[in-house]
Amino acid sequence: MSEQERQEFFKERAGTEDARFHVVPSEEEWAVKEDGKEEPEYTTDSKDEAIEKAIELADENDTIAYVHSSSGEIEEQYNYETK
């Protein structure tokens, strides 16, 4: 999948029940971002606080929260999808 295809995929999911939340490094802090959205939902100096917020958002929205390392790799995921 090309970078453009990847961006389009996430943009299409933004604001839908398929959107996921990601804890990602952002400059000197940590951010919680929703698929396809440029602006973060939440930012903090603490990765743990960002994880808590992502889990809360994923739980409220019946979706998944992904936690990324400082290099961008997925370290953990929290699945709150309902079947």
Side-chain angles (χ1 to χ4, degrees), residues 29-78:
E29 51 192 12
W30 289 89
V32 177
K33 295 182 102 178
E34 184 178 349
D35 284 344
K37 294 189 177 178
E38 291 296 319
E39 293 299 314
E41 296 287 319
Y42 180 79
T43 59
T44 180
D45 292 335
S46 167
K47 184 176 182 180
D48 289 337
E49 287 179 23
I51 292 169
E52 287 178 27
K53 184 64 173 179
I55 288 171
E56 176 186 315
L57 289 167
D59 189 22
E60 289 172 0
N61 292 282
D62 298 325
T63 191
I64 300 173
Y66 292 103
V67 179
H68 296 260
S69 68
S70 57
S71 64
E73 299 295 318
I74 294 175
E75 294 180 320
E76 298 177 82
Q77 75 175 28
Y78 299 88

Side-chain angles (χ1 to χ4, degrees), residues 3-50:
E3 181 61 25
Q4 183 177 0
E5 290 171 326
R6 185 171 112 27
Q7 288 178 1
E8 189 61 33
F9 172 78
F10 287 122
K11 185 181 273 188
E12 288 174 1
R13 288 169 57 159
T16 72
E17 61 188 38
D18 294 325
R20 311 292 197 245
F21 295 94
H22 299 261
V23 174
V24 295
S26 175
E27 298 176 21
E28 298 295 319
E29 51 192 12
W30 289 89
V32 177
K33 295 182 102 178
E34 184 178 349
D35 284 344
K37 294 189 177 178
E38 291 296 319
E39 293 299 314
E41 296 287 319
Y42 180 79
T43 59
T44 180
D45 292 335
S46 167
K47 184 176 182 180
D48 289 337
E49 287 179 23

